[in-house]
Amino acid sequence: MFLVLINVVFNLEEFLAAWQQCVPEGMKTDPGQLKGIALIDRTSFPEVIYRYHVDDLPEDEKERFNELFKTKEKWTLEEIKPYIEGLSSVKVSIGALLQKNARASTGSNGVKLFNSKHSVKK
């Protein structure tokens, strides 16, 4: 996991192999353990992983969504959830945050995707 502490893009397959070698025998690593810490770009070839830590994002809701959509145009719920959970509360759910700040569409594989409802400031 030390590999995602620096701002470098890694080949996903190589990263996963190196990460598995760094943990004690019998322990299993899983990309899901990196939610809110790193992003996987499955559209690139080869697939890559890079640091994208939730703590590095703005605390302001609009600024955070702008930064998220500047980084990646479309997100699945599973991908974006770790980055917006901290903005939710008893009164404001993750669904309400997405409804306010994102548009939902369905990808070609049937997965719901979210993109910015507002223009993204570069």
Side-chain angles (χ1 to χ4, degrees):
M1 189 124 98
F2 65 95
L3 296 174
V4 293
L5 297 177
I6 53 177
N7 291 328
V8 178
V9 176
F10 292 97
N11 173 299
L12 178 61
E13 188 176 320
E14 292 172 4
F15 172 84
L16 293 175
W19 181 26
Q20 184 60 55
Q21 291 176 353
C22 291
V23 300
E25 193 173 324
M27 265 184 102
K28 293 284 185 195
T29 58
D30 182 271
Q33 296 165 325
L34 299 174
K35 290 179 182 177
I37 298 171
L39 277 181
I40 296 173
D41 183 353
R42 297 197 183 277
T43 63
S44 68
F45 185 78
E47 293 177 342
V48 295
I49 186 168
Y50 56 95
R51 175 187 165 86
Y52 198 73
H53 202 288
V54 66
D55 292 342
D56 296 335
L57 294 172
E59 290 184 24
D60 178 78
E61 178 183 324
K62 286 183 182 187
E63 290 177 23
R64 180 168 302 193
F65 273 94
N66 187 73
E67 189 64 33
L68 289 167
F69 290 121
K70 188 166 52 170
T71 300
K72 188 173 174 178
E73 185 180 351
K74 295 184 179 193
W75 296 73
T76 65
L77 178 59
E78 183 179 321
E79 292 169 331
I80 202 169
K81 188 176 178 180
Y83 297 103
I84 62 173
E85 281 178 319
L87 300 174
S88 66
S89 66
V90 174
K91 294 183 179 183
V92 182
S93 68
I94 289 174
L97 288 168
L98 287 169
Q99 188 174 16
K100 179 179 174 185
N101 295 285
R103 284 194 174 90
S105 60
T106 304
S108 58
N109 58 358
V111 175
K112 188 181 259 189
L113 299 171
F114 296 93
N115 65 301
S116 184
K117 191 178 252 187
H118 312 286
S119 60
V120 176
K121 297 175 185 148
K122 298 291 177 183

